[in-house]
Amino acid sequence: MKDKKVVRKLSEIQNQGDLRQVRLDKFNELKRVGRNPFEISKFNVTSSSEEIKDKFTEMEGKHVSIAGRIMSKRGQGKVGFYDIQDTQGRIQIFAKQEALGEEEYNYLITNDIGDIIGVEGEVFKTKMGEISVRAEKVTLLSKSLQTLPEKYHGLKDTEIRYRQRYVDLIVNPETREVFKKRNLIIKGIREYLDNNGYMEVDTPILSAIAGGANARPFITHHNTLDIDMYMRIANELYLKRLIVGGLADGVYEMGKMFRNEGMDTTHNPEYTAMEVYRAYADFNDMMSLTENIVSYVCEKVNGTTKINYNGTDLDFTPPWKRVRMQDMVKEYTGVDFDLINTDEEAIEVAKQKHIEITPLMTRGHVINALFEEYCEEHLVQLTFVTHHPVEISPLA
């Protein structure tokens, strides 16, 4: 009788206006009657949604224990259907009052979208052909106090997606796939380099100078030494010192870099980068290394070196095209910089091609400006653009 009163109160709470307050009130009521989900620290999971679906033939009729977040619910009366999402995908839960008992079933139907539940039951297929779990016991493991974005439109606001990645991961399966592939990519890069004689190292993040690249650093203060220090904008200088010191013929590091500059969806002040250095090698060797790493990882992650990206077929199979920057400029503008040797001549060409003239502009700057204006859009397949002008090459 007591449980019926509690369920009735939970149903009454459901009809209030403020959705977050509704969920908070539900949680407080559950806590009051000794059903606080946050006191449950362990739930024994024996199967995943993907495993059940992939191995349905052998798992049909077997008892399983799964857990996941409620993403949708439907039904009426004494039967309900719940789609729960775990890290592998989604699966349907078939809940029947007769199997769960009236009190437990009534508690179940007061759960909200976003709540995490644990389900024990039998694997079967519905009359509609949906692989499901027939619930014999349901445990509320976590009460979601925030509402999820509406299911048909999902989370589309770019800023919210980037600022609240946890919500993005819940409602957008493609985001989870990107995270999983990123993990495989990093593993693949390490595997290739380690197997080819490169040594992974860690270098300092704090430094007395901001070197290795042309960027504005974050500045902090070392209290013990009483000096300002800089968070690294690149790890180049330390890696080169390791090569000089003879640690190995090839070294690499994956790690965080910090640049106190603008930000958008493709530029973050804190980001992960990798640098590789090798003794007794030139830029041709490094191009070969790059294409081999990328093709190896592409094959490992996607099962092929050929992919389709936004409707365009790309082939990562080595060797990739190699072309000098000024040769591309000649191809798409008709200007041959092998015949232009002075800054004055180059600036005249820039004016003819409607390139903005800036103070201290040189021949090299003009080549780069023409490349960006007329050539970059034609770079589709994998291409190494070589022989950049020294004026735009940091540390050259």
Side-chain angles (χ1 to χ4, degrees):
M1 192 67 173
K2 177 184 176 184
D3 281 329
K4 286 185 177 181
K5 289 181 179 179
V6 173
V7 171
R8 191 180 304 120
K9 185 166 184 179
L10 289 171
S11 298
E12 290 171 357
I13 291 172
Q14 181 71 46
N15 295 323
Q16 297 174 6
D18 184 341
L19 293 180
R20 189 180 188 284
Q21 189 59 49
V22 165
R23 291 171 179 244
L24 188 58
D25 290 344
K26 281 186 179 182
F27 167 66
N28 288 330
E29 182 62 21
L30 290 169
K31 189 166 62 171
R32 185 185 69 79
V33 298
R35 298 178 71 105
N36 184 354
F38 298 120
E39 291 182 351
I40 301 173
S41 60
K42 179 177 174 61
F43 183 80
N44 185 37
V45 175
T46 63
S47 304
S48 69
S49 60
E50 184 179 62
E51 179 187 16
I52 293 172
K53 290 182 176 180
D54 290 348
K55 300 179 179 179
F56 174 73
T57 303
E58 58 185 87
M59 297 193 72
E60 184 177 12
K62 290 188 177 180
H63 188 273
V64 296
S65 175
I66 63 174
R69 188 181 300 275
I70 298 174
M71 300 303 291
S72 69
K73 62 178 188 176
R74 56 204 178 279
Q76 57 185 4
K78 299 179 180 181
V79 176
F81 296 89
Y82 296 78
D83 288 329
I84 68 168
Q85 176 176 286
D86 59 16
T87 57
Q88 303 300 315
R90 293 191 186 189
I91 194 165
Q92 179 176 268
I93 305 300
F94 173 77
K96 199 171 182 180
Q97 186 185 92
E98 183 181 349
L100 291 174
E102 182 179 356
E103 290 179 358
E104 291 302 320
Y105 181 80
N106 288 338
Y107 272 114
L108 172 62
I109 62 178
T110 65
N111 290 342
D112 296 303
I113 305 295
D115 291 354
I116 296 176
I117 58 174
V119 180
E120 299 171 48
E122 177 189 355
V123 175
F124 80 111
K125 187 178 287 187
T126 66
K127 293 179 180 179
M128 300 298 291
E130 180 80 13
I131 296 173
S132 309
V133 175
R134 182 182 286 111
E136 298 170 4
K137 182 180 179 181
V138 179
T139 306
L140 178 62
L141 301 175
S142 179
K143 184 69 187 170
S144 175
L145 301 181
Q146 300 285 2
T147 57
L148 295 180
E150 189 267 322
K151 70 174 184 177
Y152 290 107
H153 296 97
L155 182 62
K156 302 300 182 186
D157 186 287
T158 302
E159 184 170 350
I160 293 177
R161 288 185 63 190
Y162 279 76
R163 289 184 181 274
Q164 300 180 22
R165 271 299 193 195
Y166 52 94
V167 181
D168 189 21
L169 288 167
I170 291 171
V171 301
N172 290 322
E174 61 274 15
T175 300
R176 291 198 301 278
E177 288 306 308
V178 170
F179 272 68
K180 290 176 182 178
K181 282 197 172 184
R182 180 186 186 275
N183 177 257
L184 293 175
I185 289 167
I186 290 175
K187 285 182 179 178
I189 293 172
R190 279 198 170 101
E191 185 176 283
Y192 183 88
L193 289 170
D194 291 346
N195 291 341
N196 283 274
Y198 289 81
M199 179 182 292
E200 183 175 13
V201 296
D202 287 319
T203 63
I205 289 177
L206 289 177
S207 178
I209 61 170
N214 182 20
R216 181 185 301 161
F218 285 94
I219 304 173
T220 187
H221 189 77
H222 195 302
N223 290 332
T224 301
L225 299 177
D226 193 25
I227 59 171
D228 284 342
M229 299 194 76
Y230 304 91
M231 299 184 75
R232 69 182 179 192
I233 56 177
N235 49 8
E236 175 174 336
L237 301 182
Y238 285 107
L239 293 174
K240 285 181 174 178
R241 288 167 185 162
L242 293 174
I243 292 290
V244 170
L247 177 67
D249 285 343
V251 297
Y252 75 96
E253 180 180 16
M254 295 186 194
K256 292 291 186 182
M257 307 298 156
F258 308 87
R259 298 188 177 187
N260 195 3
E261 298 176 342
M263 62 184 293
D264 55 35
T265 55
T266 60
H267 293 84
N268 201 41
E270 172 189 343
Y271 65 97
T272 302
M274 182 186 77
E275 293 199 20
V276 183
Y277 290 89
R278 185 162 192 87
Y280 318 118
D282 65 8
F283 73 102
N284 293 298
D285 298 301
M286 300 313 287
M287 285 192 288
S288 296
L289 174 65
T290 301
E291 62 190 4
N292 287 330
I293 289 175
V294 174
S295 62
Y296 175 85
V297 172
C298 188
E299 177 78 40
K300 196 170 186 66
V301 174
N302 299 313
T304 177
T305 56
K306 298 178 180 179
I307 67 168
N308 183 280
Y309 180 73
N310 289 341
T312 300
D313 291 325
L314 299 174
D315 188 353
F316 290 85
T317 306
W320 301 348
K321 181 180 178 181
R322 287 145 167 81
V323 59
R324 293 194 312 162
M325 180 181 282
Q326 63 191 61
D327 289 339
M328 280 201 74
V329 170
K330 180 181 179 180
E331 180 180 355
Y332 292 105
T333 69
V335 180
D336 187 353
F337 274 87
D338 285 332
L339 304 177
I340 297 175
N341 299 310
T342 67
D343 295 340
E344 292 75 18
E345 290 177 286
I347 290 173
E348 282 304 314
V349 169
K351 290 177 181 178
Q352 295 170 17
K353 295 295 182 180
H354 310 292
I355 298 296
E356 181 184 356
I357 307 302
T358 59
L360 305 180
M361 201 171 200
T362 67
R363 175 179 176 276
H365 292 121
V366 173
I367 293 174
N368 182 61
L370 289 170
F371 175 79
E372 292 179 348
E373 181 67 26
Y374 294 100
C375 304
E376 280 189 345
E377 63 181 317
H378 299 287
L379 289 170
V380 177
Q381 292 300 324
L382 285 295
T383 304
F384 288 111
V385 180
T386 66
H387 296 82
H388 291 221
V390 68
E391 293 92 332
I392 63 165
S393 302
L395 305 184

